[in-house]
């Protein structure tokens, strides 16, 4: 976050964007039953209830409490209940206990959203300082990130249920991709500029823009497909230690991993659990729901490698991207000149810069307009519940 | 279970009892929000959703599938979803994953109840064999056990919530006891008969009725009170290893136990979480929500001991009982001549006869008429979420 | 422990017994390499180093520090290092860290033994009070218990080693049993006296001698043999949940148990690791190294049951016993009138009286003269590293 | 490893180096008792026994089995027993079970060393191919790495012992440093070459030499001292979440970390366990035995940062280095063009390139001549048992 960097959005433009994004979150909830908002099957996967309350809390805590004089918090207990990881703001619900709570009810959480929306309306009417503008923009982008999580968390939760519930029959997400281009683009090396450039919004981890030196490299024009990955499986990829990181091999063996998450082989046919129900794995779609370990093992098996995030950013105009988060071979580290902001927003990104891997691109669940070429997503290498895929480099 | 032992209840009496008990379960759910049916904070504590579906499943599986010709199961998947621990019936939901499921919805589960009730009505109309009678009686008693669990599980779940939700303001449960009698009854030893006698319903673990030899002993007329237990706390009982079993001492230290479950000391005053909200600990009430380890340590501290279950049964006419489950110093073991029944009902009790401790009596959450003097409840020694209390012996 | 109960042994007889038992421990160590004294593969299995130091510590702490004026402890640090579980005496090495210590060296521990033996000699020379006599007797019996542990712990440790080290080629232990008698003895019920009777030494858990009522029962004259148990295996006993306690079934599945500990099936032949190396399983030997869960499942499979410890004691003159510890179906609980002694010796037995199962008899590793008909051994139901076997009852 | 890259050492020079390094290992063992070779207190810390056998195994497996015709392995079982992590060579001892083995004895392991040394002598006499030369050189460097581990593992093991054993009274290791230079060197940015250059030995992870672009930066001339770190402690550094990575904060809280490993504060004085016994913390010595999390938190507290490994390598001629391994802020990743070698040696480095942090420099326990400016060491961020320190950058 950079409080000193201004945004060009006027208050009314910001208000419009705010309303659109908030409405989008609620539209995502339309197909849900009340019960669907509650469970948290594993620590990384939050309840829907939590995703929609926490994003609201973010506006209350970061914007309304600081910039709307006389603002009355909806419920003081929510400050504790819906804080994710901001130690600056005080104690919070233990992360793996979010699913143990049945109250506040879903109805109360929607009232909370309405209360905050109404107060935000007042903020927009009065006009915003630059600092407030930045925080609203941050809150909007934060809510978009949780829209993606809402879908991926829900998918994981539903997948645990023997009834295999359907979220929406016509959900498209990853199932209707255009065929992937084949072949590699040859990229000439040299000094390149990396990081965000422009006067729109970006996250603090995309800054500062800086030079890197890259050697010549080639990078795949398309993503690895399900058909490609099935070849890897059939060639014994999950059983050949030579392809894997040492920790990846422990992960494969310790968890009996034999296919991407959600895949199931019945009588020789690969099916997968999707938000639209159980469907056949389509060969031409990009493979997804794989860990960094699997992405890396696949690349070794192909005698290729994963690109670094710098190669990816330098080359991304040479290939079409947009529907998978793609694992890079870059650890999530600060760019030169990265500074942690003061206060709670300073906890947004910097403190996660160890033991995580950078993902580039965007997934089918990413809100429209949310990602960009300098955008850096990041997860621990064993996680698979995001729509994560593979692009090869050499 | 004794399929060969008949019951005196006629079909219409049984039907009446069935309807009463089923209605009672639903009355217990009246104060709940939909969200309250879902969470499972720890493995031992089931979701309300699960308690009300599983009891229904029991009638479907044990009675309707066997005795109602042409019965059509409500949903074949429920056979898997709501099986608790009956390996005979097939695979089942992993016990600590019951809270991960949001479907079937609460509404669907109530439809399931109605479907089964309607089919049971047909069974009652047609008349029952002795075997069917026994299984209906067993199902009724089983549902009563889950009524108690529904309340204790809900209490535990609500207690995890920083909002401290109230189930019912006028809930009485353990808070309005008459003063406990003091002093000990002296009981003369000799040969006594232990176990169920009569032609009503009993569980298989209450049989066969058999002789035991008891020495002379004395047993408290009343239960240990909160005031008594506060003395133990203030005397440093939780910090004195000499009072504890070795495993109890590990449990106290490993879990930082310093008071009964749900107790909290604010500025020198003891409060407790109850189903009616947070309330003051009342000195004259019997202490409850303690583990066997705590009950035993308290007894050692008093230079007394816990009674055996045989002493308890032999003496129970000499003292008033009825509102706490009381820890005995007896391990849960089969009576002489105990036989495991064939089929799924054989899994009801026998397979739990190791590493558990017998409780005698009944708690304030026990359904009226459910317990009796030969009734044996049992839990692992560290568990505290039942309304468990202490009676001393010497 | 009963400090008030005297022993008839004179000091010189006690001194003789002391020297014999101490020498026996050292003889057991003869075949060992220095390295063999160190490892502790799991928490329950102590290093040899620890067994021989801790028994010495017992005499120093319980006898010499209290009864030999002017006694100078060998090394004050040993008080901490070799305390097993006596909280009265102070902090101690964490139980599962005993194998992390390389010092004091084995040589120093033998010096410690010599130092204590020499001081004990002085005690014997000066004459003993009744209290001291009792504690010496207790220390001797304690050391005998650790002789058995020394062998069973060593067996477990060696069994972890791919080199399969041999302790002694001519070790006999369990391999050379006489054929087991077949058939059952019919025992008439009635009131029986249980517990130690006499004026020799016994442990506090064998007292007080008391009456129990037993119904008529029958009990096997011989032990279950390896051949019997192989039948159970071949009949699918490890795969049939109906035979098992619920916790036993979890234990079987969670640990992939398919045979007694140390057994291995190569090409259809059963071999077992023994202290004399890997040897064929001999069909007529009593089965051993089984858990209570396995003993109980076997009995259910045979449509029999395990005897209670009271039945066992009442009947033991009717069958030959002596070479296996035999699992009973009795939980380890205090006898009527059991009192915990004051001070550290009070921690010997009483605090373990929860969640453990009584074993009766003696094993081939039990020191000669150590056990008796009222002797009660006890272990958690899942443990198998003792020479534990099965006698059936009905 | 680069089998195609030759070494200039002649066979006789290599033989000399081999003998020196092997003798050095044995000299390090001189002060040890037999028992000291056995324990493994935690998974990361191997027994001494293992370090001296595994380095020998490396020569037997990589050199003798491949290049000495007719070589007879000392004991086929050692192939399994002393394999560290080379899946290519087959099954191996589970890593955290190395301390459970008491055999082969220390004496047998020294015989094994002599057997292999004698065979290696024959190899040197016959002359070596380029490939063999490389593998011998690799084995020598591998043994030097284990010399450092032998000391750090032993230190950790001894530190667990309440007797605080002394390895050598005159051990110097980290206690006698010259005062650290203060102030920062200003380094001008631009394109720099990184990685090994020359025709001597290097590890595969130091290649290929490649260009990176660096911005201007400054780097401390000296290391952070104990006095500096005590300031951090006294300022509440361990209690201020704002200084820590999110995982670092969990690590601090979960392990109650309040000082570097081996430090102990008695009455306001800081002492530390060393291989020479417990000694006072000397203010001017560089701080060591800290995790990456602590190094990073210290840097944030100082409003500085850790250098990247590229900055470190580019600047290292501007400051004196040599006595601490220094945490960088670089993840351990492959250099451009890094290729995993075929066969077992290919498992040396590449498969660890995830979730680890690069250390640069060398520690007081590093064998003379082993490290160099392009040398890359790496550990997980929470580990502290190496002599790890801090250099700041800006």
């Amino acid at each position: 976050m950079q409080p000193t960097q201004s945004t060009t959005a006027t208050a009314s433009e910001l208000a419009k964007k705010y309303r659109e994004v908030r409405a989008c979150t609620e539209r995502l909830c339309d197909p849900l039953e009340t019960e669907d908002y509650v469970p948290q099957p594993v620590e990384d996967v939050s309840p829907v209830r939590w995703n929609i309350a926490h994003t609201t809390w973010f506006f209350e805590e970061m914007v309304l409490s600081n910039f709307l004089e006389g603002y009355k918090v909806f419920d003081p207990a929510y400050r504790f209940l819906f804080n994710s990881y901001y130690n600056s703001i005080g104690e919070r619900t233990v992360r793996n206990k979010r699913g143990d709570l049945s109250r506040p009810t879903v109805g109360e959480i929607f009232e909370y959203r309405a209360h905050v929306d109404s107060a935000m309306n007042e903020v927009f009417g009065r006009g915003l300082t630059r600092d407030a503008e930045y925080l609203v923009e941050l809150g909007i982008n934060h809510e978009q990130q949780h829209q993606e999580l809402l879908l991926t968390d829900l998918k994981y939760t539903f997948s645990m249920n023997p009834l295999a519930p359907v979220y929406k029959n016509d959900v498209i997400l990853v199932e209707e991709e255009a065929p992937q281009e084949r072949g590699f683009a040859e990229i000439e090396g040299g000094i390149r500029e990396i990081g965000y450039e422009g006067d729109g919004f970006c996250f603090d981890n995309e800054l500062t823009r800086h030079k890197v030196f890259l050697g010549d490299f080639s990078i795949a024009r398309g993503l690895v497909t399900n058909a490609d990955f099935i070849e890897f499986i059939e060639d014994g990829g999950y059983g050949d230690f030579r392809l894997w990181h040492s920790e990846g091999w422990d992960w494969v063996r310790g968890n009996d991993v034999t296919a991407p998450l959600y895949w199931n082989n019945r009588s020789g046919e690969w099916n997968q659990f999707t938000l639209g129900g159980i469907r056949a794995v389509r060969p031409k779609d990009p493979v997804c729901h794989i860990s960094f370990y699997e992405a890396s093992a696949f690349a070794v098996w192909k005698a290729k490698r994963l690109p670094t995030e710098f190669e990816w950013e330098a080359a991304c105009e040479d290939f079409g991207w947009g529907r998978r988060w793609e694992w890079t071979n870059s650890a999530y580290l600060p760019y030169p000149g990265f500074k942690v902001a003061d206060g709670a927003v300073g906890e947004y990104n910097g403190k996660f810069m160890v033991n995580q891997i950078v993902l580039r691109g965007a997934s089918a669940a990413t809100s429209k307009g949310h990602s960009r070429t300098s955008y850096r997503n990041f997860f621990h290498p064993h996680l698979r519940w995001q729509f994560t895929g593979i692009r090869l480099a050499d």
Side-chain angles (χ1 to χ4, degrees), chain A:
Chain A
M1 201 216 64
Q2 319 104 271
T4 61
Q5 181 170 329
S6 70
T7 150
T8 60
T10 64
S12 75
E13 277 166 355
L14 209 51
K16 182 164 173 283
K17 195 166 174 191
Y18 174 88
R19 281 176 212 122
E20 281 170 8
V21 168
R22 298 284 285 175
C24 171
T25 300
E26 288 164 26
R27 231 164 24 241
L28 291 174
C29 296
D30 278 350
L32 302 182
E33 301 285 350
T34 300
E35 294 85 343
D36 298 332
Y37 290 79
V38 183
Q40 178 183 33
V42 292
E43 178 168 346
D44 289 305
V45 167
S46 294
V48 173
R49 255 174 95 261
W50 199 89
N51 280 312
I52 64 174
H54 166 66
T55 49
T56 304
W57 169 92
F58 193 95
F59 286 109
E60 182 173 73
E61 191 67 40
M62 302 290 182
V63 179
L64 298 174
S65 297
N66 295 318
F67 296 99
L68 183 60
E69 214 185 303
Y71 173 73
K72 195 157 163 295
V73 295
F74 182 75
D75 186 326
Y78 289 21
R79 205 180 191 204
F80 169 88
L81 282 172
F82 299 121
N83 179 359
S84 53
Y85 55 70
Y86 296 84
N87 291 297
S88 312
I89 291 159
E91 289 299 312
R92 56 185 194 278
T93 308
V94 175
R95 194 180 176 210
N96 63 358
K97 298 287 179 200
R98 291 171 182 164
D100 294 350
L101 310 181
S102 60
R103 311 283 181 91
T105 63
V106 173
E108 286 163 340
I109 287 167
F110 277 101
E111 283 171 38
Y112 177 40
R113 289 184 69 90
H115 173 91
V116 162
D117 286 350
S118 157
M120 284 296 293
N121 220 20
E122 210 178 321
V123 167
F124 291 124
R126 293 187 190 177
L128 287 81
T129 63
R130 282 287 172 91
D131 280 2
E133 267 182 25
Y134 178 78
L135 289 167
V136 172
E137 191 93 64
L138 183 64
I140 287 169
N141 279 272
H142 174 255
E143 181 137 354
Q144 288 178 317
Q145 292 182 316
H146 279 275
Q147 288 168 357
E148 178 151 2
L149 288 169
L150 188 156
L151 290 171
T152 53
D153 292 356
L154 186 73
K155 183 172 181 178
Y156 190 89
T157 303
F158 274 7
S159 78
M160 296 288 100
N161 194 321
L163 300 177
V166 171
Y167 168 66
K168 271 205 314 194
N169 279 311
D170 60 343
V171 73
I172 53 162
L173 292 178
V174 302
E175 292 84 12
E176 301 187 18
E177 297 292 333
Q180 294 295 317
E181 250 186 290
R182 309 299 284 186
F184 285 71
E186 302 295 326
I187 311 289
E188 201 179 336
I191 291 184
R192 297 298 190 95
E193 298 269 338
I194 296 294
Y196 182 71
E197 185 173 32
D199 53 7
F201 173 84
C202 76
F203 284 108
D204 57 356
N205 64 13
E206 299 169 58
L207 296 172
T208 61
R209 187 163 166 89
H210 64 287
K211 293 191 176 69
V212 301
F213 182 88
L214 299 177
D216 299 346
F217 65 100
S218 62
I219 191 160
R221 294 184 186 283
L223 298 177
V224 170
T225 65
N226 287 332
D228 296 333
F229 205 82
I230 288 170
E231 267 188 71
F232 169 80
I233 296 173
E234 292 177 348
D235 193 43
Y238 281 106
D240 184 352
F241 67 84
R242 293 170 305 176
L243 306 174
W244 297 82
H245 287 100
S246 180
E247 295 185 7
W249 185 240
D250 291 345
W251 173 81
V252 164
R253 305 247 285 196
N255 297 282
D256 291 325
V257 180
T258 57
L261 184 62
Y262 303 134
W263 283 32
N264 194 12
N265 196 314
R266 296 214 180 125
S267 329
E269 292 300 305
W270 285 108
N271 291 306
Q272 59 183 324
F273 177 83
T274 77
L275 283 166
I278 293 173
R279 299 189 179 175
V281 168
R282 302 175 7 150
K284 291 183 181 167
D285 286 349
V287 68
C288 72
H289 293 304
I290 52 159
S291 69
F292 169 74
Y293 299 128
E294 288 163 294
S296 177
F298 180 89
V300 173
W301 176 74
K302 271 289 194 196
K304 302 289 181 195
R305 60 180 179 83
L306 303 179
T308 66
E309 64 167 323
F310 309 113
E311 290 171 336
W312 193 98
E313 187 169 333
C316 69
E317 287 169 18
D318 287 278
F319 54 78
W321 65 278
R323 305 287 287 251
R324 286 303 172 289
W325 286 109
E326 305 172 19
W327 288 110
T328 70
N329 201 35
S330 293
Y332 182 48
L333 290 169
Y335 283 174
F338 173 81
K339 289 282 177 226
V340 171
D342 289 334
V345 291
E347 297 187 54
Y348 204 97
N349 272 315
K351 70 181 183 181
F352 299 110
M353 290 177 173
V354 67
N355 280 349
Q356 308 217 40
I357 311 287
V358 173
L359 292 143
R360 290 300 194 102
S363 93
T366 310
S367 297
K368 217 174 156 176
H370 176 70
S371 189
R372 63 203 142 259
T373 57
S374 60
Y375 195 94
R376 306 170 81 199
N377 204 347
F378 52 92
F379 282 96
H380 285 102
H382 67 288
L383 294 175
R384 310 203 289 176
W385 94 110
Q386 300 303 306
F387 293 93
T388 47
I390 315 173
R391 183 185 304 279
L392 298 175
D394 201 8

